[in-house]
Amino acid sequence: MLDRMVRRLDRTLGLVLAALMFAMMLLTFVDVVGRQLFNAPVLGGNELTRIAMGLLVYIGLPLVCLRREHITIGLLSGLIRGRMLRVQHVILNLLFAGVTFIWARQVWIQGEAVERSNSVLMFLQVSTAPYIYVMSVLTFGAAFIYLILAWCYLQGATPKSGEEAG
Amino acid sequence: MEAVAIGFVALFILLFLQVPIAFGMAIVGTIGFGHIIGYGPALKSIGNTATDMVMVYDFSVLPLFILMGNFVARSGISHDLYETSHAWLGHRRGGLAMATIVACGGFSAVCGSSLATVATMSKVALPPMLKFGYDERLATGSIAAGGTLGILIPPSVALVFYGIMTETDIGQLFAAGVIPGVLGIVLYAGAVAVITRINPEMGPPGERIPWKARIRSLRGIWGMVLLFLIVMGGIYGGVFTPTEAAGIGAFGAFVIALLRRRLTVRITLDALADTGRTTAMLLALLIGSLLFANFINVARVPNEIADWFASIQVSPLTVVVICIAIYIVLGCILESISMMLLTVPVFYPVMQSLGVDLVWFGIVVVVVIEISLITPPIGLNVFVLKSMLPDIALTKIFRGVLPFIAADIVRIALIVLIPGLSLFLPRLME
């Protein structure tokens, strides 16, 4: 059940991520060619890229959590075994959940600040606030993933990573 | 200063307990900053850093160059690169190992990742070397060492990060990396020549390939060579910004992979999503490192270190050498990009105050970090190689790598003593 959910989430987010990445590549390419050859860059291309960057990172974030791809030091990884390893996993995932939760909350607050300031992007004439809210929600998602992971380890299960499940 | 010392100890404890480096730096940075300035501003700076520092146009250079590398890695070019260098070098003693190194250098000219270089080249270069009776130590050592070239030869993820953190021009850094990168290829090939001179059995020469076939072998790689020339030439000639060049590079690599009929929908989606995840992971690291740097800066650590160096009146060169020593020690426990993100915020203001050229220092840092990829106990490249070749003992690979570490030490000495090696090309750009 859980594995299937992980797989589905991994695939869906991966598809959105891939689409966004492709769009960003095309945008930059068209923008450069337009500027160099026809003296006609994409209007607001720069701002679109900024928004795309934000979304790219924050869509990637839950995926990185799902696949446990955050870089860690592997030096002592073999030292803790058995029951202690389980305890360690539970505590660490709770800690990660806490960290990402605070992170998500601060990003949300930042979004509110941007919204209050009524500032808009020069070319696109839109506020970045809605995108920042999306980024925050995705981070809350990552925090939730860590909570579930902690719960799984507590039950004595070793949850599959997104990659294994996929 | 005490707060920072405690901070570093706490950070290392967290890291050893398997907390991801990004989180570790963010936690310690936020608490440390909060301790000195107040927790309200500390929390606020999380929100700031995690949004403003991500939604930056210039940062798109990172995913675009990574994407370029991912398409290149999936385009099958590594075979052609190896075929070509084999045709040109294979008849020499140790020629296949030299060909491996040149192919690694060529591959990393279009791909910014050392690990990708090792993973790809080990599949391509190892079987022929073993078939021709090459010693396993020389065969694996040349791949692990050749892979380190990926981190320096532009486009380089490490140099992009360094540029972002120190506000140094990324185009200049890329130009500065070219000659030291080529020097790396030459010295590694030299190491192979020395090894096979001492012990000819380790790398017997192959057949001599006629010139006609050599020229023909270039056919498979001209597309990539052209792409590299457009990307680097564009940056170097001031036609493109690095970000624009990355856009062209990624799209060009996509088209080349498409023309080579290597891209299925699935592979394309994989390359794209891979890039997105790597970007997220790297920017999470960057956010963590910036929060940590906030703490270091409000604790005035770089100022104190700089003042201290000024008071004992050592030459800037001595300070650089001390930094190198610190990197070599840290390289035994930390992974390359993390090591850079952790240390550069402390070192670069010190270097700046001593009047050290930051472009040159960037190259020095990246080359030293490169060495950490192959030194025990953590040498990441060696582990990647080991995971792909379960039958070869780890100690054997580490022994095979030793001569190349010697070559690296020669290279870092040359780069430190002759700044012109790094600074010649960027000076021409101005």
Side-chain angles (χ1 to χ4, degrees), chain A:
Chain A
M1 216 308 259
L2 191 68
D3 285 347
R4 223 178 64 204
M5 268 171 59
V6 167
R7 188 167 59 223
R8 200 167 282 174
L9 190 62
D10 190 272
R11 201 168 286 170
T12 315
L13 284 175
L15 269 180
V16 180
L17 195 61
L20 191 64
M21 193 61 235
F22 194 75
M24 203 159 128
M25 176 183 83
L26 273 187
L27 173 67
T28 314
F29 182 72
V30 172
D31 186 42
V32 183
V33 171
R35 184 176 2 247
Q36 299 289 343
L37 298 185
F38 308 104
N39 207 8
V42 179
L43 274 185
N46 186 309
E47 294 166 354
L48 279 174
T49 301
R50 286 179 49 196
I51 294 173
M53 257 321 271
L55 292 177
L56 187 75
V57 169
Y58 281 86
I59 293 170
L61 198 66
L63 270 174
V64 173
C65 300
L66 268 183
R67 295 192 169 209
R68 332 262 211 292
E69 284 178 331
H70 277 301
I71 299 178
T72 53
I73 295 188
L75 202 57
L76 300 179
S77 52
L79 284 185
I80 303 175
R81 288 210 185 98
R83 213 184 154 79
M84 279 310 290
L85 187 66
R86 222 175 93 193
V87 174
Q88 185 201 16
H89 275 307
V90 173
I91 295 175
L92 282 186
N93 280 298
L94 284 176
L95 174 71
F96 301 159
V99 171
T100 30
F101 181 82
I102 294 173
W103 181 347
R105 179 173 164 270
Q106 292 311 125
V107 170
W108 186 273
I109 293 172
Q110 179 75 12
E112 288 175 337
V114 170
E115 194 177 357
R116 270 198 307 278
S117 72
N118 282 325
S119 61
V120 291
L121 293 169
M122 207 165 63
F123 281 105
L124 301 178
Q125 286 294 317
V126 293
S127 164
T128 50
Y131 302 101
I132 297 180
Y133 289 139
V134 172
M135 283 151 61
S136 167
V137 170
L138 287 161
T139 316
F140 276 118
F144 186 65
I145 290 173
Y146 279 127
L147 270 185
I148 292 184
L149 286 180
W151 183 77
C152 288
Y153 281 114
L154 192 67
Q155 302 291 312
T158 307
K160 281 184 181 161
S161 73
E163 200 173 5
E164 290 159 352

Side-chain angles (χ1 to χ4, degrees), chain A residues 70-74, chain B residues 12 15 21-22 25 113-115 151 157-158 161 281-282 285 327 330-343 369-370 372-373 378-381:
Chain A
H70 277 301
I71 299 178
T72 53
I73 295 188
Chain B
F12 276 98
L15 298 190
I21 297 169
M25 289 196 288
S113 154
S114 281
L115 299 183
I151 191 172
V157 173
F161 263 126
M281 185 203 65
L282 286 174
L285 262 178
Y327 275 116
L330 277 181
C332 295
I333 42 175
L334 283 176
E335 173 273 344
S336 53
I337 294 281
S338 329
M339 180 155 80
M340 182 148 156
L341 289 172
L342 196 62
T343 54
I369 286 176
E370 230 186 74
S372 76
L373 287 170
I378 298 225
L380 220 48
N381 278 10

